[in-house]
Amino acid sequence: MIATRLRQRRATTAPVQGTPSRPKVVVVGAGFAGLAAVEELAKFTADVTLVDRHNFATFQPLLYQVATAGLNPGDVAFPIRTVIRSMARTKFEQGELASVDAERKFIVLEDGRTLDYDYLILGVGATANYFGIAGAREYSHAIYTLDEALDVRNHLFRQFEQAVAHGVRDGALTFVVVGGGATGVELAGAIAELAHKALYTDYTSLNPDDVKVILIEQQSRLLEAFHEELSEYARRELRTRGVTVLLEETVEALEPGVILLHSGREIQNGLVLWAAGVAVPAVVGRLGLPTGRGGRLMVGGDLRVIGSEHIFAVGDTALASDLSGNPLPQLAQPAIQGGRHAALQICALAKGETTYPFRYRDKGTMATIGRRAAVAEVGHGIRLSGTPAWLAWLGLHVVTLLGSRNKASVMINWTWHYISWGKGPRVILGG
Ligand SMILES: Cc1cc2nc3c(=O)[nH]c(=O)nc-3n(C[C@H](O)[C@H](O)[C@H](O)COP(=O)(O)OP(=O)(O)OC[C@H]3O[C@@H](n4cnc5c(N)ncnc54)[C@H](O)[C@@H]3O)c2cc1C
């Protein structure tokens, strides 16, 4: 208790001299964190420029459903200009962050444009961590962007079409997911559901027994962040859906069409999905700002980057901690709450007030496995699995989606998916 109070006091800092009452704020990244910051700043007198490399915000938690033809790409993307339409002092610039001049307070975009700031909020999200495993980057797919999700969808359906045309060769219908966390479990469950349902309806000449979905996890259980009971439930449910779960297996290397495991096992495959680890985008390491575990930007209690009075880091990009000093998970809730907090600190500083520390409120964690199967931990030791967890998962995702059109579209798609046993957009785009 005393230690906590001390930590809080240390994180509280004096007002920054010379802060204008109407500061210029640049927010880089229109993800959960950046958008939460912008929404909060819009309530206050600040001139805000939001920057993102895309002109839309991506709802990452449902990307895997785009990849497995459950949802359309437009369901999980929302135009940024629509988000900020009602925010009078907020503008958007599409561009990719290249560098930050912390001394002179401006950022440089890849095309050479510069943007001055009084305060900068960095929330550029995360990307895959390949841990230096040979061939992992080249011969696997990760799903962090809409393009990547569509790439996976194209690849999956090309495998089916090729199998119809030329027969099932060299494990062409073996789909391997690496990483048994929430993303890996969701992907494995969705691919298994898609593969088996699609074969029965659309690819009737293929034998369902030729499809294999393998989930590889190096720990002794899936969903390490959840209670053991829920891990076991997830494993059982995946098995029922035809997924082979390999625990305590480590990936040694990837070669074209083959994944090599530490145990000596080699798996010929048609697709490897990488859900094994999270890193930050390469640009973060080039900003000249202090980084810690996973390359994340080191921040103080108020979420300012260590050593920078005017730069905040939020969401997956930041190495923020809870009050016990444990790093916060790279999930939507810490990003949303962190984004809001950074905005509130800028408001406080502009009013000549002191900053105060970020307190993360854990609202629980969920993961879905497939139709009527999910797990959820919702605080106070309450654990759910099966249909109640699945309904909670569906409800939460619809509520969190941006835009009424997207919410309605996702609900219609899910209902259709449920009734029709998954006849989604099974199309190969781009030839
Ligand atoms: C497949 C998948 C499933 C997930 N499922 C869940 C889940 O079920 N529940 C959950 O809580 N969390 C989930 N997460 C994690 C969650 O999506 C992230 O924690 C959350 O998106 C982090 O928010 P953020 O704002 O930090 O980053 P993001 O939402 O990733 O936003 C970062 C933004 O920065 C932009 N950007 C990146 N680099 C640059 C640059 N150089 N210049 C300009 N802009 C840039 C990107 O375009 C993006 O818009 C999932 C993540 C993935 C990938």
Side-chain angles (χ1 to χ4, degrees), residues 60-70 140-144 148-150 152-153 156 175-195 212-216 223 238 241 243 271-276 367-370 393:
Q60 278 185 345
L62 291 179
L63 279 178
Y64 83 96
Q65 294 214 359
V66 174
T68 52
S140 74
H141 294 249
I143 306 181
Y144 284 85
E148 288 168 346
L150 285 172
V152 168
R153 188 177 83 183
L156 274 170
F175 306 116
V176 181
V177 180
V178 182
T183 303
V185 164
E186 290 181 347
L187 266 170
I191 293 177
E193 227 162 60
L194 163 78
K212 294 191 173 45
V213 182
I214 300 173
L215 175 59
I216 299 173
L223 299 177
L238 285 173
R241 287 165 162 76
V243 177
L271 174 70
V272 177
L273 290 157
W274 196 262
T368 184
I369 297 142
W393 183 92

Side-chain angles (χ1 to χ4, degrees), residues 26-46:
V26 172
V27 179
V28 187
F32 285 104
L35 289 182
V38 163
E39 272 166 25
E40 201 61 48
L41 285 164
K43 300 176 194 159
F44 168 77
T45 324

